[in-house]
Amino acid sequence: ASDPRIPAISLPHRGAESYNNMWQKVRSIWMFVGQHYMDQFDYFFLGGDDLFVLPQNLRAYLSTLGDPNDDYFVGRRFKGYGRDNYFNSGGAGYALSRGVLRRYHQALVDEDPKCAPHATTSMEDVQTAACLRHLLGVGLTDTRDAQGRERFHPFAPGTHYTYKPKDDPNMQWYEDYNKEWGILLGKDCCSPETVSFHYIKKATMVRHLYKLLYHAEECRQYQKGGDSGT
């Protein structure tokens, strides 16, 4: 249901109300955004309700890209299984420039067959990238910082910081998806200019991250006071 207090808008979409129909939901979102907000913003960011975003870092990074009327499709690059299966992780969130959205919106409205208008799948990120690549010729942008550290993250901070290759067989896909450009480990996992972390599901996690990111100096002073016995 729509809730103007947030604000949240309930959008009709083709097919069932199901995670496995995420592609149709996202198609409806981009068509709505393109119709109503196209000329009001330079970039448009999509992410789920378990994504923690640092808006000041997102804004700062997007400002380095160039003319928003040009083609920019930015997020966390993955190379999935299969030929030419490059996409930006939906979990980590991704942004489209106004130039991309203008053409993408028209392709969705026209129900171009290269954009799978009737497909039912949870892999909206794969479908979005395929449409942009095959129909519009829009590829992915390397969003790492100058030291090769990632800005967009498909997992929570602790997962990235402690990740070890081959440590968990269930994470083999993650290694495979990053094989072309590699994964930096430990403190190099994440850029100081990080934009997003995925799988931040609990309110306590949100509060904890917020405190660490925006009030670290207060935490240090509190710790010093505790150490001195005050």
Side-chain angles (χ1 to χ4, degrees), residues 93-158:
Y94 56 84
L96 307 181
S97 65
R98 181 170 55 238
V100 169
L101 180 60
R102 192 177 306 280
R103 295 196 292 147
Y104 185 37
H105 172 258
Q106 192 60 54
L108 295 176
V109 171
D110 292 344
E111 297 199 340
D112 191 289
K114 290 185 178 179
C115 294
H118 300 283
T120 299
T121 175
S122 63
M123 296 187 291
E124 58 83 16
D125 45 8
V126 173
Q127 295 292 340
T128 293
C131 175
L132 295 180
R133 181 171 63 255
H134 295 147
L135 182 65
L136 306 180
V138 177
L140 308 183
T141 300
D142 184 351
T143 58
R144 294 174 295 179
D145 69 13
Q147 284 72 49
R149 298 168 296 189
E150 298 284 0
R151 287 184 167 93
F152 296 78
H153 305 289
F155 305 119

Side-chain angles (χ1 to χ4, degrees), residues 1-10:
S2 296
D3 187 343
R5 297 172 300 173
I6 301 177
I9 300 171
S10 178

Side-chain angles (χ1 to χ4, degrees), residues 153-175:
H153 305 289
F155 305 119
T159 303
H160 286 288
Y161 184 75
T162 61
Y163 175 75
K164 297 179 181 178
K166 313 298 183 183
D167 199 41
D168 181 355
N170 293 323
M171 292 287 283
Q172 182 61 46
W173 69 268
Y174 180 58
E175 291 184 44

